[in-house]
Structure formats: structure tokens, C-alpha cells
Amino acid sequence: MRISIIGSGYVGLCTAVGFASKGHEVICVDIDEEKVKKINNSETPIFEENLENMLKDAISKKLLYATTNINDAIINSDISFITVGTPSMLNGDMSLEYIKKASEDIGNTLEKKNSYHVIVVKSTVLPETTEKIIIPIIEKDSGKIVGRNFGICMNPEFLREGKAISDFINPDRIVIGEYDKKTGDILEKLYKDFDSPIIRTSLKTAEMIKYASNAFLATKISFINEIGNICKKLGIDTNEVAKAMGLDKRISPHFLESGIGFGGSCFPKDVSALINKAKKINYESKLLETVIDINRNQPEKIVEILLKKMDIKGKKIAVLGLAFKPKTDDIRDSPAISVINSLMNKGAKIYAYDPKAELNAKKIIPDINYCKSIGEALDNSDACLILTDWPEFKSLSDKDFSRMNKKIIIEGRKVLENVDNFEGVCW
Ligand code: UDX
């Protein structure tokens, strides 16, 4: 099938490359000319495992190209995925700016297109957005009728940063919210060579499945962090508790790692947007408010532990890890930012190392010392906090930490395997 992808950011590019790897012809659309140029040169604007070689392969087979021209892309494709961002606004609401712009552009193009076209909303949008915002804009700007001249589906993504390509190729489930059976059938056909269960449902149910899934995962993390904070006061290792809990199939071992809280561009944004949506329909989601509250306070727990050990004013604190999770350079809502701000407010001097996220971190926290190696951060430091579980930290040994003035090590994420005498935020 000929596919156009409206918005070639993180989700769009991984979706484009994933469909191209299945033999489909894909046109990536973006407003950013630099990004379009990079993609056409087989350069990936984001760091994601396997993305670069799959992009090179797709381009060499002439199955994928990028353009800033959305009209050409829609005219020369049968199905268009909307994969633009829905960032948080200051009050926690979801911003629809890019969704509305994409819908207008699609409407304006469909006005000139006579053949049937399928639109697929893959951006994370709150329940009722497709029906109440996107369809009316496309109908108004195209003069066409949904169900007659064009079809629409809502097909949420469940991609994890660092594993996005494998999550796209091997999804646990494919959710198709459909305006009508005709469009749902077309989308199901597109996914026919994926070995995953397909759920056919309504548009707003599909929108809710995405939010409910992320909100549950965030809840599970805040739950184990609450248990972790209690365990810490009792001198219990939360990881041992979690391991035994996880053997219960109903609980599962996944997403049961306590630490300094969840970050990233999804969980904080999606849970806040769902809370605000619930408020608008006169429902106060106390549980989700608490999930956010626990998460907001979690990074400070590691600072409290450090302050019990030493006065940090004027001291050199080594920080290993800035990214919100390993295998990504993304520091959006990373707990490391709150930890570092708190340490700096108390007069500490920060020496930070992260294998990938330095460039992005400098944009948000410019006035700390960035080190080119773990050793440089540890040299003559008075304490060390580990804030991202990068695999390269696993092999650190007592010898590495002997470079410190005093061996005070606190893990914000469970990662050290060859070191004695350290503790963790919940262990
Ligand atoms: C998440 C969802 O997993 C994915 O399905 C959705 O499409 C997008 O949001 P992502 O944000 O990329 O993916 O990262 P994820 O691996 O889920 O981790 C999110 C945060 O939770 C990270 O900061 C991670 O460190 C933290 N986390 C994760 C925990 O603190 N404990 C855990 O047990 C798991």
C-alpha cells in the first residue's frame, strides 16, 4: 500500500521505517526542512536502536522518501497516518495545535482528491478527539463527508523509547478504532503480516486504551515506589519484595522497579492530560492525582538520603546518568533534572556524565560540569548518585569508586553489580 506519514518525529519515523520494512511505499512528511533532508540522506534525527540501518535499507530500495509537501504526499498515497506531537500545556492539558494543523492540511488536500482516502490517527489523543475535533476539521476544509469520501481510524502506538522499532514490528496488540467497518477492514489488511492480536473497536475506545495503558504503567511504578519508600524506612530491600511479588502471574515482574520515579515524554504528560479530561467531565481521579504526586516527590528521596550522610554545600557530587532511561538521549521530564536542581539549590557542585544525553541536558541544565568519562566525574568527588541505569554502569567496581574522596554511593536506579557498601533510594 502507498502510505503517507504526517509528522516525522519519533513515532512517525519509526512507523514509516516499520511499514517500509514490510514492503510498503512510504512518504514521510515534516515541516522541518532540515529533518526532511536528513531522512533523505538516510540520517536519523533521533537515536533509536536499528532505525538507521532500516532507514538506509528503505531508501536504497526506494520504498521511503521525505518531503515538506503534504499535498503531494496525500495525493500520492492511499492512507495517511497522523503522527504529530500532542505536547503538554502548562496546565497539564494536551496541546492540539499540531493535530488541528495536520487536520486542516489534510482537509485542504482532500478537497482536490477524488479517490477514497483513509486517515489514521496514531498520535496520542484524548477520548473523543478524533470524533469531535479531527473529523469536523477535515470535513469542513475538504467539503467531503466522512464515511463516504474518506475513512478514518484511530490506531494508538505503544512504542517505548530505545525499543521503538522492535515494539512496532512485534506489538503485543494492534488496536484499531474505526469510524466504520470499511475503514477498519482496510487498516486490518495493512497489518495482515504482523503476528499480533488485532482489536477492532470504536474511535474513542481506542483513544482511551492508549491513555489507560500508560496510566496503568505509571500507576504501577508509583505503587512500587510507595512500597519502596516504606521498605526504605524499615531497612527492607524493595527489589527483593518486587522479585517475589512479580512471580504472581497477575502482578508480573515488569514495571515493578522502584527508583527515583518515571520520566519521559509520555507518562507524565498522558496521566496529567487524562486527569484534566476527567475533571472536565466532572470526575476527580484521586488515584491518578496521587500517582503524579508520588512521582513528583520521588526524586527528592535520593537527596534526603544524601543529606543524612553529609553536608553537601561546596562539595563535589558525581552524577552518573541524565537520560530519563537508558539507550536514549532523551531527558524530557527526567528525574535527574529535579535531583540536580535540588542539589544545586543546596550549594553542591555537580559533575555529571551520561553516555548519550549530554547535548540535550546542556539545553536544560547548562551550569553544571559535564564530564567526558565516568572517571572524570568520580575523581575527588565527595559522593556519587546514579540516576540512569545505563548498562555501562553495571560493571563499575570498587576500584573505579576508589577515585572518590569518600565512597558515598547512592543508586536512583538499580544497576551496580560489583560494588560493596552502597545503598539505593528504596534499597
Ligand atoms: C512509555 C510506555 O512504556 C510506552 O508503551 C508508551 O508508548 C510510551 O511511554 P517510554 O516512556 O519510552 O514508554 O519508557 P518506559 O520504558 O515505559 O519508562 C518510562 C519511565 O518509567 C522511565 O523513566 C523509567 O526509568 C521508569 N520506570 C520504568 C520505572 O521507574 N520503573 C519501572 O519499573 C519501569
Side-chain angles (χ1 to χ4, degrees):
M1 231 183 232
R2 299 180 307 160
I3 300 168
S4 48
I5 303 280
I6 317 298
S8 304
Y10 180 74
V11 172
L13 193 52
C14 293
T15 300
V17 160
F19 278 129
S21 75
K22 298 278 184 180
H24 296 287
E25 294 167 46
V26 186
I27 308 169
C28 291
V29 181
D30 206 281
I31 50 173
D32 180 339
E33 285 194 26
E34 263 317 293
K35 191 182 285 186
V36 165
K37 222 179 278 167
K38 275 190 165 184
I39 293 171
N40 287 328
N41 289 335
S42 300
E43 292 164 42
T44 49
I46 52 170
F47 169 74
E48 189 55 58
E49 211 169 358
N50 254 345
L51 181 60
E52 186 132 4
N53 50 32
M54 287 176 76
L55 176 60
K56 281 194 174 78
D57 188 42
I59 289 189
S60 63
K61 289 176 181 164
K62 299 203 180 325
L63 283 174
L64 186 151
Y65 72 89
T67 175
T68 54
N69 188 325
I70 186 168
N71 295 333
D72 286 356
I74 292 175
I75 296 291
N76 296 309
S77 63
D78 313 298
I79 187 166
S80 298
F81 282 79
I82 300 179
T83 49
V84 294
T86 52
S88 265
M89 297 199 283
L90 283 178
N91 66 355
D93 274 351
M94 168 187 78
S95 164
L96 283 170
E97 178 195 352
Y98 304 120
I99 286 281
K100 287 178 177 171
K101 179 70 173 66
S103 304
E104 285 157 11
D105 291 346
I106 290 168
N108 293 328
T109 308
L110 289 188
E111 188 186 11
K112 304 182 273 290
K113 181 166 186 178
N114 297 324
S115 56
Y116 186 81
H117 196 86
V118 172
I119 316 288
V120 184
V121 180
K122 190 171 265 292
S123 301
T124 299
V125 291
L126 283 164
E128 301 184 324
T129 303
T130 303
E131 284 161 290
K132 292 189 175 175
I133 308 279
I134 298 173
I135 291 175
I137 291 175
I138 295 176
E139 286 190 318
K140 180 173 83 52
D141 290 345
S142 66
K144 303 277 172 71
I145 311 288
V146 65
R148 192 186 314 162
N149 313 108
F150 69 92
I152 195 157
C153 279
M154 200 276 149
N155 171 224
E157 50 82 17
F158 301 98
L159 309 182
R160 290 165 296 168
E161 285 201 34
K163 300 190 175 65
I165 294 292
S166 69
D167 284 348
F168 181 86
I169 301 291
N170 313 296
D172 290 339
R173 72 299 205 190
I174 293 164
V175 174
I176 297 177
E178 58 201 43
Y179 175 80
D180 55 20
K181 186 178 177 309
K182 173 180 178 181
T183 325
D185 288 348
I186 292 170
L187 193 55
E188 181 160 353
K189 189 158 164 279
L190 179 65
Y191 281 110
K192 68 178 176 2
D193 12 339
F194 284 69
D195 179 19
S196 308
I198 292 187
I199 307 278
R200 299 275 296 258
T201 185
S202 70
L203 293 170
K204 62 185 174 183
T205 305
E207 290 161 335
M208 179 50 101
I209 289 168
K210 168 68 181 176
Y211 274 90
S213 299
N214 269 8
F216 177 75
L217 293 169
T219 301
K220 201 171 177 185
I221 293 168
S222 281
F223 169 81
I224 198 63
N225 284 337
E226 174 119 299
I227 296 296
N229 295 336
I230 298 167
C231 285
K232 184 68 184 174
K233 288 178 175 298
L234 293 168
I236 297 169
D237 182 338
T238 316
N239 301 298
E240 279 188 58
V241 174
K243 191 166 169 224
M245 287 172 65
L247 295 172
D248 182 326
K249 289 183 187 57
R250 295 166 302 172
I251 298 173
S252 103
H254 305 297
F255 274 71
L256 219 47
E257 293 156 36
S258 57
I260 47 175
F262 56 78
S265 64
C266 299
F267 286 165
K269 161 179 92 74
D270 294 351
V271 179
S272 303
L274 186 55
I275 288 168
N276 287 6
K277 173 73 179 178
K279 272 186 194 141
K280 288 195 179 97
I281 50 174
N282 300 321
Y283 181 83
E284 200 199 333
S285 42
K286 296 185 186 67
L287 174 63
L288 296 181
E289 299 264 10
T290 307
V291 166
I292 290 287
D293 203 34
I294 290 171
N295 195 60
R296 188 180 298 117
N297 296 322
Q298 199 62 14
E300 191 60 19
K301 302 291 180 198
I302 197 168
V303 177
E304 288 165 9
I305 294 170
L306 180 61
L307 292 176
K308 283 196 187 109
K309 295 175 181 300
M310 63 190 287
D311 171 11
I312 63 172
K313 194 169 169 41
K315 295 288 185 355
K316 173 178 177 177
I317 309 294
V319 166
L320 300 186
L322 297 168
F324 83 95
K325 64 185 277 195
K327 296 191 182 156
T328 177
D329 58 359
D330 195 342
I331 66 151
R332 283 174 291 181
D333 269 353
S334 171
I337 298 170
S338 327
V339 173
I340 287 170
N341 284 332
S342 175
L343 294 170
M344 290 173 73
N345 291 340
K346 296 169 177 72
K349 290 181 292 180
I350 308 298
Y351 285 73
Y353 167 78
D354 186 289
K356 289 275 176 208
E358 177 180 327
L359 217 58
N360 288 329
K362 277 182 176 165
K363 295 173 198 158
I364 298 195
I365 20 176
D367 38 5
I368 62 171
N369 303 285
Y370 288 92
C371 302
K372 292 299 170 208
S373 70
I374 296 170
E376 189 189 333
L378 292 176
D379 272 347
N380 307 314
S381 63
D382 302 297
C384 171
L385 301 186
I386 300 180
L387 304 182
T388 312
D389 41 331
W390 280 102
E392 64 187 89
F393 299 159
K394 275 192 171 62
S395 56
L396 290 174
S397 67
D398 283 316
K399 186 166 173 294
D400 296 300
F401 291 103
S402 62
R403 307 167 77 135
M404 297 173 67
N405 289 339
K406 261 180 91 182
K407 206 182 100 175
I408 293 179
I409 305 164
I410 311 172
E411 287 180 314
R413 306 278 186 207
K414 191 83 205 97
V415 65
L416 294 176
E417 293 178 349
N418 304 307
V419 179
D420 303 327
N421 301 327
F422 66 93
E423 64 179 292
V425 64
C426 294
W427 49 92

